[in-house]
Amino acid sequence: MPIVSIILRRPPYGDINAAEALRHALGGVTSGYDVNLIMVDGGVFTARKGQIEEGTGFTNLEATLKDCIDMGIKVYMDKGSMKENYLDPEMIVDGCSIINSHEISTIVKESDKIMIF
Amino acid sequence: MITVIKSSPDTPEGKRGFRLARDMASDMVLLQNGVYFAQRERFEGFCGKVYILEEDMRLRGLNDKEILKDAIKIDYDGLVDLMVEEEKVIGMF
């Protein structure tokens, strides 16, 4: 099965990148790919618990990320980016793996296709 | 004078706006991804007022415990009033 790694660098809601990264991840897994979703820099904010979209018209990306995890997408968080953005492990959605930059480079090296958002 | 920041802390624009506001001791308005700046650890030595757009804060899962204690939460109408009343508005970064 081909491996697709999606690297998300941008925080949610400010622009379309986070929503599109999650949409492509779901598309990949339903098309039979082995999908890794790697969050770095501001992208780590997408995994925050407690996102309240009521009255804003936005799609709640916390719920979408949980769907991704349920569908078997492997979600990885860059430990350095979490530290830089004052995110503690208990502040993020369950089911995400917190890894360092060396482990991220290994995952990317072993991937067939890479998409960056 | 207020400085309006809409970019996240990991962007050059956001960092530039935040540093400029701090150096000018200007009040600050945080909205969109700028609300991530409201995490209290980022505000050592800052003496101006900080306003944060509550809707954007809630959307991104930020809660009252982690943001700056003295941050003033405003709604969209409050933002418009601020921008009308202030004699100088700098932004948006």
Side-chain angles (χ1 to χ4, degrees):
Chain A
M1 204 161 33
I3 301 172
V4 174
S5 282
I6 296 174
I7 300 174
L8 172 57
R9 299 174 304 158
R10 306 290 298 140
Y13 307 117
D15 53 37
I16 195 82
N17 285 283
E20 280 305 299
L22 268 57
R23 196 167 71 85
H24 280 72
L26 287 167
V29 78
T30 50
S31 307
Y33 292 106
D34 185 357
V35 178
N36 299 310
L37 177 58
I38 303 168
M39 296 187 184
V40 300
D41 300 333
V44 296
F45 284 121
T46 308
R48 276 203 66 122
K49 280 182 192 170
Q51 296 175 34
I52 303 167
E53 87 286 3
E54 217 179 302
T56 64
F58 281 99
T59 301
N60 186 314
L61 292 185
E62 176 185 352
T64 308
L65 184 62
K66 286 176 182 169
D67 291 343
C68 287
I69 294 167
D70 293 344
M71 297 276 289
I73 292 164
K74 293 182 283 301
V75 179
Y76 297 103
M77 309 281 292
D78 174 39
K79 185 181 292 185
S81 300
M82 284 183 66
K83 187 163 180 272
E84 257 171 53
N85 289 292
Y86 305 101
L87 269 185
D88 300 327
E90 67 273 9
M91 296 164 100
I92 63 171
V93 168
D94 298 334
C96 300
S97 308
I98 301 172
I99 59 177
N100 59 40
S101 50
H102 176 68
E103 290 166 304
I104 287 177
S105 58
T106 303
I107 291 171
V108 173
K109 214 181 293 180
E110 289 165 0
S111 301
D112 298 298
K113 296 290 182 205
I114 318 288
M115 298 175 78
I116 298 180
F117 287 87
Chain B
M1 171 170 57
I2 53 171
T3 303
V4 183
I5 300 175
K6 67 176 179 66
S7 306
S8 56
D10 63 320
T11 63
E13 316 87 287
K15 285 175 189 156
R16 172 65 53 203
F18 188 78
R19 191 178 310 139
L20 187 64
R22 195 186 49 197
D23 294 347
M24 296 188 301
S26 146
D27 292 342
M28 215 186 285
V29 177
L30 304 174
L31 47 90
Q32 292 186 19
N33 281 341
V35 300
Y36 288 120
F37 273 109
Q39 294 163 318
R40 64 183 59 173
E41 295 90 345
R42 298 178 195 272
F43 274 91
E44 273 144 42
F46 182 72
C47 52
K49 273 190 260 177
V50 176
Y51 301 90
I52 180 168
L53 195 59
E54 185 161 15
E55 179 177 290
D56 288 349
M57 175 187 148
R58 299 272 172 237
L59 176 60
R60 289 160 175 80
L62 287 163
N63 55 59
D64 295 337
K65 289 198 303 290
E66 67 185 293
I67 68 166
L68 192 68
K69 197 161 40 68
D70 309 330
I72 303 159
K73 293 199 278 291
I74 55 175
D75 59 12
Y76 191 77
D77 293 337
L79 173 64
V80 172
D81 292 342
L82 258 179
M83 297 181 89
V84 168
E85 287 151 16
E86 287 287 333
E87 107 275 357
K88 187 182 291 180
V89 177
I90 302 167
M92 293 184 190
F93 284 92

